[in-house]
Amino acid sequence: MRGLGNGQSVMFFLPPEVSNNMKRQTSQVSSLDVVRWALWQTSDALMTLSPLWASHGLQYYKRARLWDNLTGGSEQLETVSRMQEPEARTLSQLYAPWDPMPFLPTDGHHDQRDPVIRELMRVSGGGQWNSQLHEEQERQISHEVQREQQVCRPPGVSPRPHSLHKDIRYFAKHGKFSTECPSPAVRRAFECLRQTSAGQFDFPSSLAPRLYATRDFALTAKQQKGTLADDFLKPVHWVLSNIHNPDLLLLSQYEANELLPEVNASETTTLHVYTPRTTKSMRSFGDLRFFHTGARFDDQRSPHENTQDLELFAGSLYFESFRRYENFRQFLGLITDDCRQIPDNRLSDEGFVDEQTRQEIGWPVQSPFRSNPLPFLDAIFNLRSRGHGYLQTHIGMILGARRLTADQF
């Protein structure tokens, strides 16, 4: 036994003659002793398995000779049957060494004058029991299928160079744009999903009217026309608010770094650090109060509807309270505990209430969806989760048409 230097040790089992020789010479195991032990084990394995390999060679010579003598006609079926091994054997034939076993050298299909045949017969004849026992053990082993996962990466694309539009810099200083018309450097945040797999569901353009994203945030890579941007969607980490209205503007990491001096000196804008809540034990960043810089932030500047849109777009998986969960279901147009008196023929299997029914019963929360939004939500969270499971989260329960109760928050 010899130490490995990390508190562990390894033990070698040596043959008796090697072990006795070591005791006479030294009490320490050297690398030479390890090499001797490996060579001895290799030689022993070769001697043990040589009858099995010899019998395999004799079987090959038997089939080769039968194949060479194959002429056709009625002899084909007989030759094929003589090539095949029996599909079933008794336990005595498999494992009893005292019963005579049919062996290849006695079947008359070997040329005794061939020196290779004679040598194979000599080697295999000395260990019939061992060779057949090894063969049966190999057959009984359940070989595991080894699979190597090959990840298909998207084709290489060139990144778009970062840029900071002058209108974004003006907004960071003054909290508004220099003109009344929307700036070309800004778009609705959910419009960024039009070029992804979520865009096939044709979600309403009125979704999240107060949530915007800059052009540098929306565009990441130079792509060919018609290709999807699923793998190039930026995460939401930097949010810019202002004192004039409840609008929220999503920035790229480059823009947040470049605008930091202007925001620190501004009295009209606030830069917030944000990340979606992806585990139940994680705190929520939806109130935008975790860390911010710039103008003093007031909760009234960011109503619940805005933060709800932000967390939906960012891919947040959990809600702070049961009331937030109920409001989100109503926002999606799904039935809640507050509105349960709805005819069954006006409900979908997932619990979606159509727009006409919502107007008739006085739906308490305005919903922009006219059709079942769950497929669209499923596409969003598949993009954001990037292959990680989320079926047991609050959002996963909604997508699976399963209801949550107040004690689960």
Side-chain angles (χ1 to χ4, degrees):
M1 184 173 62
R2 187 171 185 177
L4 297 178
N6 58 354
Q8 299 179 349
S9 60
V10 62
M11 180 172 290
F12 302 101
F13 294 93
L14 304 181
E17 58 273 17
V18 176
S19 179
N20 294 335
N21 186 38
M22 288 168 48
K23 290 180 180 179
R24 291 194 299 266
Q25 294 180 358
T26 177
S27 59
Q28 297 294 327
V29 178
S30 64
S31 58
L32 179 60
D33 298 318
V34 177
V35 173
R36 287 175 179 171
W37 172 82
L39 292 175
W40 185 86
Q41 293 288 337
T42 303
S43 300
D44 182 65
L46 291 174
M47 293 296 296
T48 303
L49 297 177
S50 57
L52 174 63
W53 296 333
S55 65
H56 290 171
L58 289 172
Q59 293 174 6
Y60 166 77
Y61 275 100
K62 171 189 173 181
R63 296 188 179 96
R65 183 170 180 179
L66 290 172
W67 179 264
D68 294 338
N69 295 335
L70 185 62
T71 58
S74 60
E75 295 183 0
Q76 287 185 348
L77 297 178
E78 181 182 358
T79 303
V80 170
S81 63
R82 295 169 71 178
M83 284 185 178
Q84 294 175 341
E85 295 183 15
E87 295 185 0
R89 298 179 187 176
T90 64
L91 290 177
S92 297
Q93 290 175 333
L94 292 176
Y95 299 110
W98 53 83
D99 290 344
M101 294 180 293
F103 200 57
L104 290 173
T106 62
D107 59 10
H109 292 283
H110 297 289
D111 187 0
Q112 304 293 332
R113 295 171 297 179
D114 191 334
V116 177
I117 295 294
R118 290 200 303 269
E119 179 62 20
L120 290 176
M121 292 176 62
R122 183 190 65 80
V123 175
S124 62
Q128 296 180 14
W129 164 249
N130 288 335
S131 64
Q132 294 206 2
L133 180 60
H134 276 295
E135 186 174 2
E136 295 305 325
Q137 288 175 342
E138 287 185 354
R139 291 178 180 175
Q140 293 174 7
I141 292 177
S142 177
H143 297 283
E144 295 182 359
V145 178
Q146 295 183 356
R147 296 181 179 179
E148 182 177 352
Q149 183 177 2
Q150 296 183 355
V151 180
C152 296
R153 299 293 183 186
V157 295
S158 301
R160 288 183 178 272
H162 287 292
S163 62
L164 178 59
H165 198 275
K166 60 179 182 179
D167 290 349
I168 304 300
R169 190 180 293 276
Y170 185 92
F171 184 89
K173 292 181 179 180
H174 305 285
K176 57 184 178 180
F177 293 109
S178 57
T179 60
E180 295 292 335
C181 298
S183 170
V186 174
R187 64 179 62 180
R188 291 275 183 90
F190 277 89
E191 292 300 315
C192 302
L193 303 178
R194 295 291 183 186
Q195 303 301 321
T196 67
S197 56
Q200 63 179 313
F201 297 100
D202 193 25
F203 52 88
S205 57
S206 60
L207 183 62
R210 293 291 188 176
L211 184 64
Y212 294 89
T214 65
R215 181 179 176 84
D216 192 66
F217 175 89
L219 301 179
T220 305
K222 298 178 181 179
Q223 295 181 263
Q224 297 180 356
K225 187 177 181 180
T227 58
L228 297 178
D230 290 6
D231 296 305
F232 309 104
L233 192 62
K234 277 192 179 76
V236 180
H237 289 315
W238 305 100
V239 183
L240 192 64
S241 64
N242 67 91
I243 63 173
H244 303 295
N245 53 57
D247 292 348
L248 298 178
L249 182 61
L250 306 183
L251 304 178
S252 67
Q253 68 276 17
Y254 173 81
E255 292 172 318
N257 185 64
E258 291 294 316
L259 294 175
L260 196 57
E262 282 87 349
V263 174
N264 285 334
S266 175
E267 297 181 356
T268 58
T269 57
T270 307
L271 181 63
H272 307 264
V273 175
Y274 172 83
T275 192
R277 185 183 177 189
T278 55
T279 61
K280 193 172 184 179
S281 59
M282 178 180 175
R283 65 156 294 170
S284 174
F285 291 76
D287 57 4
L288 299 178
R289 300 189 63 86
F290 174 71
F291 181 81
H292 53 84
T293 183
R296 183 178 179 274
F297 178 66
D298 186 1
D299 290 345
Q300 301 300 323
R301 284 162 45 189
S302 181
H304 166 65
E305 290 77 11
N306 283 19
T307 57
Q308 179 178 264
D309 295 338
L310 171 65
E311 298 208 280
L312 172 59
F313 179 78
S316 183
L317 298 176
Y318 291 89
F319 301 98
E320 293 184 34
S321 64
F322 182 71
R323 173 51 56 186
R324 291 287 181 94
Y325 162 75
E326 289 279 270
N327 288 340
F328 185 71
R329 286 186 62 92
Q330 292 180 355
F331 166 74
L332 297 178
L334 302 178
I335 188 172
T336 63
D337 291 339
D338 295 337
C339 300
R340 301 193 65 87
Q341 303 301 324
I342 301 175
D344 292 339
N345 59 349
R346 309 295 291 271
L347 282 175
S348 69
D349 294 338
E350 297 84 3
F352 177 73
V353 185
D354 60 81
E355 184 179 16
Q356 181 180 354
T357 304
R358 294 200 300 264
Q359 293 177 356
E360 292 176 358
I361 65 175
W363 196 259
V365 177
Q366 183 66 27
S367 175
F369 297 100
R370 297 183 178 181
S371 59
N372 185 7
L374 294 187
F376 171 60
L377 260 68
D378 187 43
I380 292 179
F381 287 97
N382 280 332
L383 290 175
R384 291 302 189 183
S385 63
R386 296 187 179 275
H388 296 282
Y390 57 89
L391 295 181
Q392 301 302 320
T393 65
H394 293 169
I395 290 294
M397 294 292 184
I398 293 177
L399 294 176
R402 291 175 291 176
R403 298 296 305 275
L404 293 172
T405 56
D407 57 353
Q408 294 179 271
F409 290 84

